[in-house]
């Protein structure tokens, strides 16, 4: 076990100093694309203007005989494009695959100065992060990089969920964790073939009225992922990193996608994956606080002054806990508005109306 005082020491001679605080940048949608697909590659410049994070996917959805092409495609795309304020991430292949090592060696040495985050799939414990941590440090030193790459883990095995707290705190590089519902369902032997979202068979039913057990009883579909998302959020907050919902596979069902994203947002997630352009605007809408919520938060903060004591606003008691909740909303709104003029205008207009 390493001494706590050595936690922020570089893991290789010549590697950059580890970060001491993860930058909290807008990442409402992590938009996946296949860098080996020429048609998708051609859309990257326009996509970069619409999303917070672009992720070149090398793992699932890329066939085995196209893995090298996808990796090489990401190198070309990274070198050929100016992404502006949009972050560039990649998802490498799983650590037990024959491609993961070459993914890291190639990407860090070729485009390490353009990449922000390396997403690692199927993380089972801190040992996986420790391996990637040391290897990245060696490669950064070789490439002469001035800043360390960050690491993002996907929670998609039962072991990963059981070890989520140690995963979240395994390295100063840890940027965040995403829920991977499809692989996690398989790992747990859950009886669903859906990629994220609920299931009509996972429900609760109202009590019977009298002796009739079959009629007049309402059912309510439940969220299969509530426990896991909540536990993931707690682990991330404990270690100062960011939690994300992962994919919602039914591209056509934009209504249920919005519901699932909103559940995750309310529980504390900062963003979700978008697998199709139709999901980009959903994520932007859901993971940006509503203008009326921002206006209310600012009203409470203004009324509470130094944040102590209690006040009544519109018949509702507000105290120091209320202010803490409101600051979460207001600070997120400020961060998003700094890069989004439309949001800034909407937030300011709503606040003026409430405070007038």
């Amino acid at each position: 076990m390493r001494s706590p005082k050595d936690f922020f020491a570089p893991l290789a001679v010549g590697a950059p100093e580890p970060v001491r605080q993860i930058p909290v940048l807008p990442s409402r949608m992590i938009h996946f694309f296949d860098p080996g697909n020429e048609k998708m590659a051609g859309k990257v410049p326009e996509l970069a203007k619409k999303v917070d994070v672009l992720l070149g996917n090398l793992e699932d959805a890329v066939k085995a005989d196209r893995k090298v092409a996808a990796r090489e495609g990401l190198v070309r795309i990274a070198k050929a494009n100016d992404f502006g304020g949009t972050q560039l991430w990649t998802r490498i292949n799983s650590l037990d695959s024959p491609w993961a090592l070459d993914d890291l060696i190639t990407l860090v040495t070729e485009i390490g100065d353009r990449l922000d985050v390396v997403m690692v799939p199927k993380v089972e414990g801190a040992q996986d992060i420790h391996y990637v941590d040391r290897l990245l440090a060696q490669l950064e030193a070789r490439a002469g990089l001035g800043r360390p790459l960050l690491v993002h883990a996907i929670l998609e095995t039962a072991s990963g969920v059981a070890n989520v707290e140690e995963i979240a705190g395994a390295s100063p590089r840890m940027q965040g964790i995403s829920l991977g519902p499809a692989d996690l369902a398989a790992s747990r032997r859950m009886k669903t073939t859906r990629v994220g979202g609920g299931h009509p068979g996972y429900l609760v039913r109202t009590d019977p009225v009298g002796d009739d057990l079959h009629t007049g009883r309402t059912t309510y579909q439940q969220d299969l992922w509530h426990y896991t998302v909540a536990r993931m959020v707690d682990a991330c907050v404990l270690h100062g990193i960011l939690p994300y919902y992962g994919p919602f596979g039914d591209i056509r069902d934009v209504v249920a996608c919005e519901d699932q994203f909103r559940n995750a947002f309310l529980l504390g997630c900062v963003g979700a994956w978008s697998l199709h352009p139709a999901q980009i605007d959903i994520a932007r809408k859901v993971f940006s606080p509503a203008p009326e919520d921002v206006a209310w938060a600012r009203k409470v903060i203004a009324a509470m002054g130094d944040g102590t004591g209690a006040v009544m606003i519109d018949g509702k008691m507000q105290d120091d806990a209320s202010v803490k909740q409101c600051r979460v909303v207001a600070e997120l709104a400020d961060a998003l508005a700094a890069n989004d003029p439309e949001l800034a205008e909407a937030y300011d207009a709503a606040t003026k109306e409430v405070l007038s």
Side-chain angles (χ1 to χ4, degrees), residues 24-25 27-29 175 242-245 264-265 268-272 287:
V24 181
L25 302 173
S27 48
R28 295 163 291 183
M29 73 295 293
Q175 179 273 343
L242 305 175
Y244 297 78
Y245 190 82
F265 175 68
C269 289
V270 301
F287 290 99

